[in-house]
Amino acid sequence: MHTTSQELDAGRARPDVESSWVRSRLSGLCEDDKPFLAHGPVAKDGSLARAAGPVLAQARAELADTAMTLVLADREARLLSVHSEDRSMRGALDDIGITQGAHLGEDRIGTNAVGTPLEIREPLMLRSDEHFMEAFRRFDCYGHPVVHPITRRLEGVLNLGGIRGDEHGLVPPFVRRMVRDVEERLLLDATRHQQRLLAAFQEASRNPRRSVLVVGHGLVLATPPALALLEPADHAAVQACVEGTRAKGGATHRLPLLSGRTVTLRCTPVEGADGVLVDIVPEETGSSRTGGKRAALGWPLLVVGEPGSGRTTEARQLAGRDASTLDATDVLRQGEPEWIAGMTELLAYEGPPLIVENVQLLSEPVTALLATRLRHTRRRTVLTSTPGEHLDKAHASLVALCNARRDLIPLRRRPYEVPRLAERMLADLGAPGRPRLTADSLRVLAMQPWPGNLAELRRVIQTVAGTRTTGDIVPADLPASHREAPAPASPFRQAEREVIVAAIEAAGGNKLRAARALGVSRSTLYNRMRALRIT
């Protein structure tokens, strides 16, 4: 007996399938949509493909006399391999685009036995009518996640399916056996990798004065000089730097430590292993790069940053503690005439520095008046604004007046700073029991995307401090929304995210204009924003 879409809508379906249909609709998909399966490159020589190769070869021999289709997908729901001995089945799959490199994410094609098991991290037997899109309802499929036995990271999914109506009672135990074999081979592969990492560490640590770390999945090795330099929060910051450079063939980072010292991290991939050798080189005390006063400031100043990125804090540091503040958000409450009168009065005489917040909210006439007053004032002034094309158009006259500009880097682009910031925020709250963030908690926090920047991080720390007032703060103590460490994004996904964020910023937050600039529909843009956790 098969489930109908009416039964799903009436709430009589299995809860996991019903929840998946809800997510599918929230992604903007319709049941009768023609599936568009985007194709892209896949890691044919990655650890999952290596481990699964012999297992799939044996399974194909065992399935030779059947019309079943065997599919292996990576953690991003992209198909690494598709195999069927049956010509009619291969033709049916080709017709809807189920070939190597196809993306079967739940946000792309709705409920299916590849994307949905990855979404829920559980095996799923999906009967024909339980597929969200009509185009897939001729298939019964079983998908089972593959989890790395050491890191517990989701690596991909194995899927076995056939035409509706065939007897598939033995499919789940058959697939479970394959998954168990793949995971055992992943363990062996990881052991070989760890042996290579250990050899690289032993070679690097022959010099007893060398501060060095070797970082791999589930393994961190450190020399005594490195341990003497780094606090727990520093370890999390170093690992955040490493995650950002695994695929780049090596990189160099400059990192401030909790002790106040600054070090250079020279990251080099370990040949033949999924890991990185990190040389930690302390900078000389009193270096001109770490000491001295800020460069002389020119006035007016412009501070540009995303919401929550610390624009106000930066403006106060530049202007000084005695600075006055004028906020453009008050225009709606006061009305433009009253706000203009207050602005004119403040700029009419020389006094302590003035911070004008959120100039992106000012209308063009008010912007023109503010620019005129700034040209003639003797008062030192700092302007703050969000990024976007308005800086080149509606508010270009203010930008042109500024003799210096500070662009604040979003928190997602500097994950290595998150551990230090989190510990400082926790200390500033002054909880009586002096709770501590463990290294694992700091690592999880460093891997979050932080769309709300510093403001979001501060809210998370305040929430944690309110629930645990003493002892160690472990990942389970973090809010549910920030408890899981997301798998490191591929370079392609990182680049896609940056392109979308840049397009939205350039469009001043207008999603329709951003979608047009990217050459996609608005619904496609919203789908990718959800998938990439862009707010």
Side-chain angles (χ1 to χ4, degrees):
M1 180 176 179
H2 294 287
T3 305
T4 66
S5 58
Q6 288 80 12
E7 287 176 322
L8 281 159
D9 289 334
R12 294 194 294 272
R14 289 182 291 154
D16 48 4
V17 176
E18 185 178 6
S19 298
S20 176
W21 274 54
V22 171
R23 292 193 299 270
S24 302
R25 287 171 174 154
L26 288 174
S27 294
L29 302 174
C30 296
E31 297 175 48
D32 55 357
D33 281 347
K34 183 178 180 180
F36 174 71
L37 297 181
H39 287 67
V42 293
K44 298 179 183 179
D45 58 347
S47 58
L48 177 60
R50 288 196 305 270
V55 178
L56 294 179
Q58 179 181 344
R60 289 166 185 162
E62 296 174 357
L63 295 170
D65 297 329
T66 74
M68 304 292 288
T69 298
L70 182 60
V71 167
L72 175 67
D74 63 18
R75 68 173 65 93
E76 295 179 355
R78 199 172 293 282
L79 301 188
L80 297 175
S81 68
V82 181
H83 180 81
S84 177
E85 293 288 341
D86 186 79
R87 182 177 299 177
S88 62
M89 174 64 83
R90 290 200 304 271
L93 298 174
D94 289 342
D95 288 344
I96 54 179
I98 299 182
T99 57
Q100 188 181 70
H103 189 284
L104 268 63
E106 194 181 67
D107 61 321
R108 297 290 187 104
I109 60 171
T111 308
N112 71 92
V114 171
T116 303
L118 288 173
E119 184 74 28
I120 64 176
R121 296 179 67 94
E122 296 285 345
L124 179 68
M125 183 71 204
L126 204 62
R127 297 297 181 183
S128 54
D129 289 325
E130 292 176 326
H131 286 87
F132 182 76
M133 284 191 175
E134 183 71 35
F136 299 100
R137 292 182 187 165
R138 59 184 300 192
F139 304 109
D140 288 345
C141 306
Y142 177 76
H144 196 299
V146 178
V147 178
H148 198 288
I150 294 179
T151 65
R152 307 311 301 167
R153 185 172 71 168
L154 194 62
E155 295 291 337
V157 65
L158 263 171
N159 174 289
L160 186 62
I163 299 296
R164 173 176 55 192
D166 290 349
E167 180 54 54
H168 302 312
L170 296 179
V171 165
F174 183 78
V175 175
R176 284 197 293 270
R177 188 200 74 189
M178 284 195 295
V179 169
R180 184 177 64 251
D181 291 345
V182 172
E183 290 178 348
E184 288 177 356
R185 294 183 65 84
L186 281 170
L187 179 61
L188 292 174
D189 194 48
T191 302
R192 287 193 293 270
H193 278 242
Q194 289 185 348
Q195 290 171 346
R196 295 189 182 102
L197 293 175
L198 179 59
F201 177 73
Q202 290 172 335
E203 177 66 26
S205 59
R206 286 184 178 180
N207 181 348
R209 297 182 179 180
R210 187 176 177 184
S211 297
V212 66
L213 291 175
V214 167
V215 182
H217 289 307
L219 178 70
V220 178
L221 302 170
T223 60
L227 291 173
L229 271 175
L230 304 178
E231 300 287 342
D234 298 326
H235 281 278
V238 170
Q239 291 195 50
C241 290
V242 169
E243 290 293 351
T245 59
R246 282 185 189 276
K248 296 180 181 178
T252 300
H253 300 274
R254 186 167 175 267
L255 180 69
L257 303 179
L258 273 180
S259 63
R261 300 189 68 177
T262 299
V263 297
T264 298
L265 306 179
R266 296 171 183 163
C267 305
T268 307
V270 177
E271 186 175 355
D274 190 9
V276 177
L277 180 72
V278 183
D279 265 301
I280 307 172
V281 183
E283 291 187 356
E284 293 296 329
T285 304
S287 167
S288 60
R289 295 184 66 182
T290 58
K293 297 180 180 180
R294 293 193 178 205
L297 300 176
W299 305 91
L301 303 173
L302 176 64
V303 178
V304 179
E306 294 180 0
S309 60
R311 293 192 308 265
T312 298
T313 301
E314 180 71 11
R316 291 186 188 281
Q317 289 177 350
L318 293 169
R321 294 183 178 180
D322 60 341
S324 303
T325 299
L326 182 66
D327 198 332
T329 58
D330 292 333
V331 171
L332 290 176
R333 179 176 58 83
Q334 298 176 349
E336 285 190 350
E338 185 176 345
W339 193 90
I340 291 170
M343 176 265 294
T344 300
E345 182 179 353
L346 285 169
L347 294 175
Y349 62 90
E350 187 172 0
L354 175 66
I355 301 172
V356 184
E357 293 263 38
N358 299 303
V359 297
Q360 77 276 0
L361 300 176
L362 297 177
S363 66
E364 290 193 42
V366 176
T367 297
L369 280 171
L370 175 58
T372 300
R373 300 292 184 267
L374 288 175
R375 287 191 190 96
H376 299 96
T377 188
R378 296 175 60 85
R379 195 166 192 169
R380 293 173 296 169
T381 309
V382 182
L383 310 178
T384 74
S385 173
T386 56
E389 64 178 7
H390 66 92
L391 295 175
D392 297 318
K393 294 182 179 179
H395 302 102
S397 58
L398 292 177
V399 176
L401 282 172
C402 294
N403 291 308
R405 171 170 169 167
R406 296 284 170 84
D407 287 272
L408 304 182
I409 302 173
L411 194 56
R412 64 180 174 275
R413 296 183 189 171
R414 43 193 178 103
Y416 49 86
E417 291 190 23
V418 171
R420 179 168 53 89
L421 292 168
E423 289 208 326
R424 182 187 301 167
M425 290 175 182
L426 184 61
D428 289 345
L429 290 174
R434 302 185 66 180
R436 300 172 302 276
L437 288 155
T438 64
D440 280 344
S441 295
L442 293 169
R443 180 181 58 82
V444 170
L445 290 174
M447 296 178 69
Q448 303 300 320
W450 300 115
N453 291 294
L454 294 170
E456 181 184 356
L457 176 59
R458 187 173 290 106
R459 286 194 299 271
V460 169
I461 298 301
Q462 289 171 342
T463 300
V464 170
T467 56
R468 177 173 284 280
T469 57
T470 187
D472 288 342
I473 298 172
V474 299
D477 296 319
L478 300 173
S481 56
H482 296 75
R483 194 172 296 159
E484 294 293 328
S490 67
F492 175 79
R493 289 285 174 247
Q494 291 174 343
E496 181 185 17
R497 194 181 199 285
E498 294 299 329
V499 167
I500 292 175
V501 169
I504 294 171
E505 290 176 356
N510 187 305
K511 306 300 190 301
L512 180 58
R513 276 189 292 177
R516 288 172 179 169
L518 292 169
V520 300
S521 68
R522 183 164 56 178
S523 61
T524 297
L525 176 61
Y526 278 115
N527 288 342
R528 298 313 303 146
M529 288 175 64
R530 278 191 292 271
L532 298 169
R533 297 181 68 180
I534 300 171
T535 58

